[in-house]
Amino acid sequence: AKSEGRNTSAYYSDGMTQSARERLTLESRLRNAIVEQQLSLHYQPQIDLSSGRIVGAEALLRWYDPDEGFIAPSRFIPIAESSGLIHEIGLWVIEQSCRQGVLWLQEGLPPLIIAVNVSAHQFQRNELQQQIADTLLSSGFPAEQLELEMTESALMTQHERAVGMLSSLKALGIRLAIDDFGTGYSSLAYLKSFPIDVLKIDKSFIDQLPEHQQDAEICKAIVTLAHTLGFDVLAEGVELAAQQLYLQQIGCDCYQGYYYSKPLPASEFSELLKRVGL
Ligand code: C2E
Ligand code: CA
Ligand code: CA
Ligand code: CA
C-alpha cells in the first residue's frame, strides 16, 4: 500500500501527459530557435496561367534544427500559436519578406507579389495594421507588392471587426487573400463584404482534378464566384500537367504547386526567375 501511495503521488506530481511534455519541449526549443536564428523563409513561385510567368511568391516558414533537420510548420505553428510566440514570429516573417522583396528589386527582378501567411491570432490583434505600416515604411517595400493570406475562419468570426480590420489593412495599399478557400465555413454574404483581392482554392479540391467530376465542378464554381465578386483565383497544390491544363481551361488566374516548383530558398528563387526569363 505504501509503495502504491508513492507511485500515485509520483504519477500526480508528474501528471503532465506525454504530449503535453512534448509540446513544452518544442515550445522552449522554438524560443531558442528564434534566438539562434534557425528560422528562415522559402518562397514558392505563383504562376499566371495565361502568360505562364512567375508573378509572385508565397513565403513559407522553415525551421532548421541542427539535430533534427527541418521541422514542419504543421508541427510548430500550432505551438507558436498556443504559446503566443506567433506574434513575434509572424512579425519577423512580414519584416523578412519585405526585406527580401527589396533585395530582389535591387537585383533587377520584376515587381513580384510576396504573399505572407497571417495567423488568426495575429489578425485578432489591432496592432497588426500599425506593424505592417511600420514595416513597409522602414523596408521601403512597395505596399502593392505585399499580400496577406488569411484563412476563412480567421475572418468569419466577428464579422464587423473583420471588415474593419481588412479595410484598415487595405487602406495601406496592400493585397489581401483568403487562404484554403472552401475548407472553412465562408458565408457568401460576408465574402462579398470583404475588401479582398484573391481567393486561394485549397489543395484538397485540386488533388483529384480533372477526373473527379464533383471537384472539377467545385473548382469551376469557385472561379465563377470569385470573378463575379471581382476577385482573382489562385489554385494551390498543383502537382500535375493535367491539373494545370484544366485550371487554365476554366479560367483560373494563377496557380502554385510542385508541378512548377516547390518552395525555394531566396537565392534559388531568384536564380529560377533569371533562368526562365524576366
Ligand atoms: P498553406 O498556407 O496552405 O501553404 C501551402 C503548403 O502546401 C506549404 O506547406 C507548401 O510547401 C505546400 N505545397 C505547395 N505546393 C504543394 C504541392 O504541389 N503538393 C503538396 N503536397 N504540397 C504543396 P508548408 O510549407 O509545410 O506549410 C504548411 C502550413 O503551415 C501552411 O499551409 C500554413 O498554414 C502554415 N505556415 C507556413 N508558413 C507560415 C507562416 O509564415 N506563418 C503562418 N502563420 N503559417 C505558416
Ligand atoms: Ca498560405
Ligand atoms: Ca493554402
Ligand atoms: Ca492548404
Side-chain angles (χ1 to χ4, degrees):
K2 207 175 177 189
S3 71
E4 199 179 57
R6 204 181 300 138
N7 280 345
T8 307
S9 80
Y11 176 79
Y12 280 110
S13 65
D14 191 28
M16 256 192 286
T17 63
Q18 178 82 14
S19 79
R21 224 174 296 129
E22 269 166 19
R23 285 179 74 87
L24 211 75
T25 313
L26 209 57
E27 182 186 323
S28 69
R29 283 170 58 200
L30 185 55
R31 276 181 205 284
N32 181 57
I34 298 169
V35 179
E36 301 286 332
Q37 302 188 327
Q38 292 168 0
L39 300 182
S40 67
L41 293 176
H42 281 189
Y43 299 87
Q44 185 174 42
Q46 299 184 327
I47 320 304
D48 181 295
L49 272 160
S50 52
S51 69
R53 286 180 175 273
I54 299 175
V55 290
E58 179 177 2
L60 292 155
L61 255 178
R62 295 293 176 261
W63 173 8
Y64 186 80
D65 180 284
D67 300 322
E68 216 181 301
F70 283 106
I71 299 174
S74 57
R75 255 184 87 199
F76 71 83
I77 297 281
I79 287 164
E81 289 177 332
S82 63
S83 63
L85 286 171
I86 193 68
H87 298 285
E88 186 182 345
I89 293 173
L91 179 57
W92 179 83
V93 169
I94 295 165
E95 290 171 343
Q96 184 60 22
S97 298
C98 289
R99 284 193 292 260
Q100 185 58 59
V102 168
L103 289 175
W104 280 335
L105 286 171
Q106 288 169 349
E107 257 183 64
L109 299 196
L112 302 166
I113 305 298
I114 301 187
V116 173
N117 291 285
V118 171
S119 152
H121 294 253
Q122 291 171 271
F123 190 73
Q124 288 306 320
R125 290 206 181 163
N126 290 322
E127 70 202 34
L128 180 66
Q129 196 259 5
Q130 191 58 49
Q131 287 175 337
I132 290 171
D134 292 345
T135 304
L136 289 169
L137 200 64
S138 62
S139 66
F141 189 57
E144 65 271 19
Q145 283 178 250
L146 181 66
E147 185 169 287
L148 301 187
E149 296 190 0
M150 286 152 296
T151 59
E152 291 162 279
S153 46
L155 303 179
M156 293 298 160
T157 51
Q158 296 183 283
H159 174 246
E160 299 282 288
R161 192 192 162 274
V163 170
M165 183 69 169
L166 291 174
S167 306
S168 75
L169 290 168
K170 199 62 206 156
L172 298 173
I174 65 173
R175 294 163 55 91
L176 302 173
I178 297 191
D179 203 358
D180 301 342
F181 185 75
T183 61
Y185 52 102
S186 270
S187 138
L188 296 180
Y190 286 4
L191 200 59
K192 74 167 187 189
S193 68
F194 290 147
I196 60 161
D197 300 279
V198 186
L199 286 189
K200 295 190 75 175
I201 308 179
D202 190 65
K203 180 181 183 303
S204 58
F205 297 108
I206 307 300
D207 285 338
Q208 300 182 65
L209 292 182
E211 290 82 15
H212 193 291
Q213 199 139 17
Q214 277 178 327
D215 286 352
E217 290 301 325
I218 288 171
C219 288
K220 226 191 260 183
I222 295 178
V223 169
T224 304
L225 172 69
H227 288 165
T228 302
L229 296 174
F231 310 148
D232 281 349
V233 200
L234 181 145
E236 68 175 14
V238 174
E239 296 181 345
L240 305 168
Q243 294 167 343
Q244 188 247 29
L245 187 66
Y246 179 76
L247 290 161
Q248 195 171 24
Q249 283 165 352
I250 64 171
C252 183
D253 301 287
C254 297
Y255 77 99
Q256 58 185 96
Y258 295 170
Y259 174 63
Y260 193 91
S261 171
K262 62 182 179 143
L264 302 168
S267 58
E268 287 176 37
F269 181 89
S270 81
E271 280 164 27
L272 171 69
L273 240 133
K274 287 169 186 165
R275 198 163 60 240
V276 300
L278 308 179

